[in-house]
Amino acid sequence: MNAARLYLSLHVFLSAGVLVHTFEPISTTVFIGVGLGTLGRTIYNYLHESCDSKWIAFNETGLEVDLERNLFGQHIASRIILKAVSGFMSNDNPKKPLVLSLHGWTGTGKNFVSQMIAENVYKEGMDSSFVHVFTSELHFPHLSHFDTYKSQLQQWIKGNVTNCARSMFIFDEMDKMHPGLIDSIKPYLDYYDKLDGVSYRKAIFIFLSNAGGEGIIETALDFWKAGRDREEIELNDLETALSLSVFNNRRSGLWHTSLIDKNLVDFFVPFLPLEYRHVVQCAMAEIKARDIQLDRGVAAQVAAQVARDVVYFPKSERVFSVKGCKTIASKLDYYA
């Protein structure tokens, strides 16, 4: 069995209800005294993450602040994400799971936004046992194992949602994922009350993809050449570009999948390419996050130097960062 199959098989096994816990001395003592009664379960749930309001509670204000303070240059994405997640989490009886598809060039904030959502839904954030991340080339590397991947993926989702209805699934590198594998999860995203006794309507699915990035960049560049501010760009300005790049492109992963035909993706969220000023903001935020003790003026100089060292395109105009803010952390190690 190769590593990918072993990884998925292990998660399927665990999610099916075979749970192994290493008890701390205090919790062992408690369980000896009270057994598996109500008090024991209460204390156990206090010490260990469980699928209840103590561990899962949406913080709308927290998400709004995070998007405003830490996501730079993404006025469209910020607005869509806040409204979509807030509306979904405030609904105790949604008709279907929330399905977000985030599109844009590397380093523009897609993974970062996924993390923000997790941090403001789950107490443990990305470390929560209810947040599950798939990366196409890591978990589904061999096309010849397609049938195995498909079966295990379906079992894995079913097992984890059975364990907790408020589960989150993040699929990275969707543009590299086989369309048939994407289609295999279609039933879990549809308008079903229950499938085999399991309701998926409170789950969140987030797809991350570079597909559509080139079209988004072209639109942003057109606005820049026309002397228009990037904040003037609206979602409808990007819809055509997304349609051509994502839905009609064989390399997009979502090409001709039933997720598109059945309108199961609730929001297609475009991420704009980042300019120099946004890269400076990213560097300043990283300095603050690391608690690097620098005078504000010195910190600004360091951030500016880091931003200047980033590669931009087109080469002559140097408008947009090639890798967004992706290399900021490593470059800051050098300059700070």
Side-chain angles (χ1 to χ4, degrees), residues 86-123:
S86 298
F88 179 75
M89 292 301 297
S90 64
N91 187 352
D92 291 330
N93 188 30
K95 299 298 182 183
K96 66 181 291 297
L98 176 63
V99 183
L100 303 174
S101 191
L102 315 187
H103 297 267
W105 210 245
T106 183
T108 52
K110 300 185 299 296
N111 277 287
F112 196 26
V113 161
S114 301
Q115 177 182 327
M116 288 181 186
I117 296 173
E119 295 290 342
N120 287 287
V121 172
Y122 304 93
K123 183 177 180 180

Side-chain angles (χ1 to χ4, degrees), residues 10-27:
L10 176 60
H11 280 285
V12 170
F13 177 76
L14 292 176
S15 65
V18 184
L19 304 178
V20 180
H21 297 294
T22 301
F23 294 105
E24 298 173 355
I26 183 172
S27 58

Side-chain angles (χ1 to χ4, degrees), residues 2 10 50 60 86 88 90 101 134 136 139 145 167 185 192 200 202 206 270 277 280 312 335:
N2 63 35
L10 176 60
S50 56
E60 181 177 354
S86 298
F88 179 75
S90 64
S101 191
F134 284 107
S136 180
H139 298 116
H145 297 159
S167 292
I185 67 174
Y192 294 116
Y200 298 86
K202 291 186 176 181
I206 302 177
R277 58 191 169 111
V280 171
Y312 295 87
Y335 288 107

Side-chain angles (χ1 to χ4, degrees), residues 118-324:
E119 295 290 342
N120 287 287
V121 172
Y122 304 93
K123 183 177 180 180
E124 297 294 299
M126 290 297 293
D127 293 328
S128 171
S129 58
F130 308 126
V131 176
H132 316 284
V133 181
F134 284 107
T135 300
S136 180
E137 291 188 336
L138 174 62
H139 298 116
F140 316 112
H142 306 294
L143 186 59
S144 59
H145 297 159
F146 170 78
D147 290 335
T148 300
Y149 294 151
K150 177 180 175 180
S151 175
Q152 291 179 334
L153 178 59
Q154 290 174 329
Q155 293 178 56
W156 195 73
I157 292 176
K158 180 179 180 180
N160 280 290
V161 175
T162 300
N163 183 44
C164 184
R166 285 290 188 190
S167 292
M168 178 184 293
F169 302 91
I170 302 172
F171 290 81
D172 200 359
E173 300 179 344
M174 278 288 286
D175 46 312
K176 300 175 183 176
M177 196 168 171
H178 190 284
L181 196 56
I182 299 173
D183 275 345
S184 73
I185 67 174
K186 171 191 169 293
Y188 310 123
L189 312 181
D190 215 330
Y191 291 83
Y192 294 116
D193 184 27
K194 289 184 178 180
L195 288 173
D196 294 330
V198 180
S199 174
Y200 298 86
R201 294 181 301 165
K202 291 186 176 181
I204 297 177
F205 290 82
I206 302 177
F207 303 143
L208 312 180
S209 175
N210 287 345
E214 292 182 1
I216 294 170
I217 287 172
E218 289 178 6
T219 300
L221 195 56
D222 287 343
F223 269 71
W224 180 82
K225 289 179 178 178
R228 300 177 64 183
D229 194 275
R230 69 186 280 125
E231 277 69 32
E232 293 182 49
I233 303 175
E234 296 293 342
L235 180 59
N236 57 11
D237 294 313
L238 299 166
E239 286 176 337
T240 300
L242 276 176
S243 177
L244 294 174
S245 300
V246 178
F247 312 144
N248 301 323
N249 188 332
R250 289 176 180 269
R251 296 176 297 174
S252 76
L254 288 170
W255 179 73
H256 283 188
T257 65
S258 59
L259 270 65
I260 303 300
D261 298 338
K262 301 298 183 180
N263 298 311
L264 298 182
V265 177
D266 298 299
F267 298 93
F268 290 94
V269 187
F271 282 70
L272 298 169
L274 300 183
E275 301 174 6
Y276 169 83
R277 58 191 169 111
H278 304 124
V279 179
V280 171
Q281 289 177 305
C282 288
M284 289 293 288
E286 183 68 16
I287 291 172
K288 182 178 180 180
R290 294 191 191 184
D291 196 25
I292 299 176
Q293 300 300 316
L294 294 175
D295 177 84
R296 182 169 181 81
V298 175
Q301 291 177 1
V302 170
Q305 181 60 55
V306 169
R308 283 194 295 270
D309 197 34
V310 169
V311 178
Y312 295 87
F313 71 96
K315 287 186 177 180
S316 57
E317 293 92 349
R318 287 174 53 87
V319 181
F320 301 122
S321 170
V322 171
K323 295 183 179 180

